Amino acid sequence: MQIELPENLQQVAARLLGDRLPLAERFVRLLAQQGVERGLIGPREVDRLWERHLVNCALLADAIGPEVRTLADVGSGAGLPGVVIAIARPELEITLIETMQRRTTWLDEVNGELGLGLEVVRARAEELHGIRQFDAVTARAVAALDKLARWTLPLVAPGGELLAMKGSSAAQEIEKAHKVLTKLGGEDPRITTHGDGEVEVPTTVVHVRRRAEATRKGDGRG
């Protein structure tokens, strides 16, 4: 079981996590020890927790602007990226939104163990439409962008951003979601990559800003 920080990732991990790297190491150990048994990660993921998950998610911190104060992570699952962002950016007020009780139980336990001061909410995203809004909303491997936008954009405060972690299909997803984004008040979709020259596979993020005048609620399931 490989749970030590690989040498080739030490520099980028130090840049992103600084003196909070020990918290990330504790989170990795918790995932390695309990994640598979509790159905949070697949057995093949244990040996690549740092590269594929921790550093990949920590790079999302580079995409979060300095003006952001409140952030919601939708479909937090094992805490990726929400818990990692909380470690990397402790000044943020972070809410983890997850539908499954066994996952919210895990997130509550991790929050208590690491002392991150997170808010964990068991709900579907659309149940919070019209009730909660955040400067930024993140999501990783939740759904295609057109569906994801229906769940998440109504949670983004006017002028705020949806930050969706995506792969090589990001451009195609933006094109397919164009009408939905426009209807929901989303504008200026763009793609940024983070970790170029630092990791083998950089983190790809789709940014969608919510127009100040947007009032329409989303629909669908979250």
Side-chain angles (χ1 to χ4, degrees):
M1 182 185 296
Q2 173 60 46
I3 61 172
E4 298 301 319
L5 176 61
E7 185 176 351
N8 66 313
L9 296 176
Q10 289 177 2
Q11 186 172 346
V12 64
R15 176 180 74 79
L16 294 165
L17 301 166
D19 61 5
R20 290 170 69 83
L21 179 57
L23 281 176
E25 292 173 332
R26 287 169 63 188
F27 182 44
V28 168
R29 284 195 293 271
L30 288 170
L31 279 171
Q33 292 164 0
Q34 303 181 40
V36 175
E37 180 182 336
R38 297 176 69 162
L40 299 163
I41 58 173
R44 295 181 180 179
E45 301 305 306
V46 175
D47 288 335
R48 49 188 182 181
L49 279 171
W50 279 106
E51 179 177 9
R52 184 159 180 165
H53 299 289
L54 266 290
V55 171
N56 175 258
C57 290
L59 283 164
L60 179 59
D62 285 345
I64 300 170
E67 74 284 355
V68 173
R69 292 292 175 265
T70 61
L71 181 147
D73 182 40
V74 172
S76 292
L80 303 165
V83 168
V84 182
I85 294 301
I87 295 172
R89 294 285 297 271
E91 79 279 10
L92 297 176
E93 296 178 20
I94 295 180
T95 299
L96 307 182
I97 301 171
E98 171 57 52
T99 61
M100 296 184 65
Q101 183 171 358
R102 63 182 173 84
R103 292 175 180 169
T104 56
T105 298
W106 158 262
L107 293 170
D108 279 327
E109 291 174 8
V110 168
N111 186 36
E113 176 75 19
L114 302 183
L116 297 175
L118 298 164
E119 178 188 22
V120 179
V121 176
R122 184 186 175 200
R124 295 184 301 186
E126 77 270 22
E127 293 173 344
L128 302 178
H129 292 176
I131 301 172
R132 302 288 301 274
Q133 287 191 328
F134 307 86
D135 298 333
V137 175
T138 59
R140 178 182 191 241
V142 173
L145 185 60
D146 54 348
K147 184 179 293 185
L148 180 67
R150 293 186 177 97
W151 300 338
T152 56
L153 267 178
L155 298 177
V156 178
E161 267 195 328
L162 166 64
L163 303 169
M165 297 177 70
K166 290 293 180 180
S168 58
S169 65
Q172 292 92 328
E173 289 195 39
I174 288 176
E175 184 176 356
K176 182 180 178 182
H178 176 73
K179 290 183 179 179
V180 172
L181 295 178
T182 301
K183 186 180 296 185
L184 292 169
E187 63 181 6
D188 301 326
R190 61 190 177 94
I191 299 170
T192 60
T193 59
H194 306 274
D196 295 278
E198 295 180 295
V199 294
E200 184 176 346
V201 181
T203 296
T204 300
V205 181
V206 172
H207 302 240
V208 181
R209 185 162 295 278
R210 190 177 184 205
R211 288 195 305 269
E213 68 272 24
T215 57
R216 181 184 176 89
K217 293 184 180 181
D219 54 7
R221 298 178 62 81

